[in-house]
Amino acid sequence: MKNYFDLTGQVAIVTGCSGGLGVQMARALANQGCNIVPIARRMEKLEEVAAELRKDFGVEVLPIRCDITVTEQVEAVVKQTMERFGRIDILINNAGTGAVAPAEDITDEQFDNEMQIDLFGTFKMARAVAKAAMIPAKYGRIINIASMYGLVGNKIAPCSPYHAAKGGVVNLSRGLAAEWGKHGITVNTICPGYFWTPLTQATLETDWFTEYAKNAIPQERYGKEGELDSATIFLASPASSYVTGVALPVDGGYTCV
């Protein structure tokens, strides 16, 4: 029997992997046998994540502290990963931030910070991994985590820099997919809807937002832990070899109405 989604022996770098969706996606890949390089800015959190991944799945884990806005740190992550494993098959660009304020009150610093982390950081990671590992290997799976807010605007939480950055991630992915397809690299985007994470919990738990979500989301609920797993595994696996440049909403239908 063929396991279409077996990732045994492959290596994945997952950014923003100190909590929330990054950890969930790392666990999904590790469950398929993939070795994991979790990166984030908080090393103590990364060590906790690494210990859990080793214990629960028996895979190799190499946690590395990295600020994805710093090119030298990004390149150091790729260098250390190649020295340890000799390959990088999968990159999940999950690290991100979100400034919430009326557009007329957004500062230059807030807008620039959003772009540096969500958009430029995503590009820096993809550039470094593709150049050092994926183009030479003629194989790679890059998954950029955008947002349903990268596809549409919204009337409930003003965050114009976030919309701009995540929309940029969606089209950056298309551009990279077009450019790197000849190298056997696929580049796709997952656009999550409202999911419980440490960053969103305070907002999602309010009565007013719960009521809004019930009316705005066809499935009338937030995303549950694990509901990004199958999309992540599919796009990370050899089975998705003819799927590239796609923006896949996992949003309970939010963007279909």
Side-chain angles (χ1 to χ4, degrees), residues 194 210-220 251-255 257:
Y194 299 124
T210 301
E211 186 61 28
Y212 162 76
K214 191 171 182 180
N215 291 318
I217 304 170
Q219 292 196 348
E220 299 187 350
D251 64 1
Y254 184 97
T255 53
V257 295

Side-chain angles (χ1 to χ4, degrees), residues 82-171:
M82 290 299 288
E83 286 173 352
R84 169 74 174 270
F85 296 105
R87 61 192 291 175
I88 302 169
D89 304 278
I90 300 158
L91 168 64
I92 297 185
N93 274 313
N94 171 68
T97 186
V100 178
E104 63 271 25
D105 296 326
I106 289 287
T107 66
D108 290 357
E109 291 74 23
Q110 284 175 308
F111 199 95
D112 185 60
N113 186 56
E114 200 86 41
M115 290 296 168
Q116 289 296 326
I117 296 173
D118 288 9
L119 183 54
F120 202 4
T122 292
F123 175 73
K124 287 181 179 183
M125 286 299 310
R127 177 180 62 189
V129 167
K131 188 170 186 176
M134 292 182 176
I135 291 174
K138 293 292 183 183
Y139 179 88
R141 297 286 182 267
I142 297 175
I143 304 171
N144 295 324
I145 307 304
S147 166
M148 64 186 187
Y149 280 6
L151 303 172
V152 295
N154 92 94
K155 293 182 69 176
I156 192 71
C159 53
S160 53
Y162 186 75
H163 284 287
K166 291 303 191 181
V169 168
V170 170
N171 218 38

Side-chain angles (χ1 to χ4, degrees), residues 34-239:
C34 191
N35 300 312
I36 307 294
V37 180
I39 72 170
R41 289 178 293 183
R42 296 176 292 174
M43 195 63 195
E44 69 282 0
K45 291 284 188 182
L46 288 176
E47 293 287 7
E48 292 174 13
V49 170
E52 290 177 4
L53 290 171
R54 294 186 190 106
K55 173 176 169 287
D56 293 346
F57 304 104
V59 297
E60 290 188 62
V61 187
L62 176 64
I64 306 174
R65 186 195 176 282
C66 176
D67 180 340
I68 64 166
T69 67
V70 181
T71 301
E72 293 76 16
Q73 292 187 28
V74 168
E75 292 175 346
V77 166
V78 173
K79 185 171 184 287
Q80 288 179 59
T81 303
M82 290 299 288
E83 286 173 352
R84 169 74 174 270
F85 296 105
R87 61 192 291 175
I88 302 169
D89 304 278
I90 300 158
L91 168 64
I92 297 185
N93 274 313
N94 171 68
T97 186
V100 178
E104 63 271 25
D105 296 326
I106 289 287
T107 66
D108 290 357
E109 291 74 23
Q110 284 175 308
F111 199 95
D112 185 60
N113 186 56
E114 200 86 41
M115 290 296 168
Q116 289 296 326
I117 296 173
D118 288 9
L119 183 54
F120 202 4
T122 292
F123 175 73
K124 287 181 179 183
M125 286 299 310
R127 177 180 62 189
V129 167
K131 188 170 186 176
M134 292 182 176
I135 291 174
K138 293 292 183 183
Y139 179 88
R141 297 286 182 267
I142 297 175
I143 304 171
N144 295 324
I145 307 304
S147 166
M148 64 186 187
Y149 280 6
L151 303 172
V152 295
N154 92 94
K155 293 182 69 176
I156 192 71
C159 53
S160 53
Y162 186 75
H163 284 287
K166 291 303 191 181
V169 168
V170 170
N171 218 38
L172 170 65
S173 301
R174 294 187 183 114
L176 297 179
E179 193 169 338
W180 291 341
K182 63 187 178 185
H183 299 300
I185 301 168
T186 65
V187 187
N188 293 291
T189 316
I190 295 177
C191 299
Y194 299 124
F195 276 81
W196 297 99
T197 72
L199 289 177
T200 64
Q201 185 172 351
T203 300
L204 298 189
E205 285 181 345
T206 59
D207 291 340
W208 62 272
F209 204 93
T210 301
E211 186 61 28
Y212 162 76
K214 191 171 182 180
N215 291 318
I217 304 170
Q219 292 196 348
E220 299 187 350
R221 64 175 178 83
Y222 303 135
K224 298 175 183 175
E225 183 172 339
E227 288 191 313
L228 276 182
D229 291 4
S230 57
T232 303
I233 292 167
F234 169 64
L235 292 176
S237 76

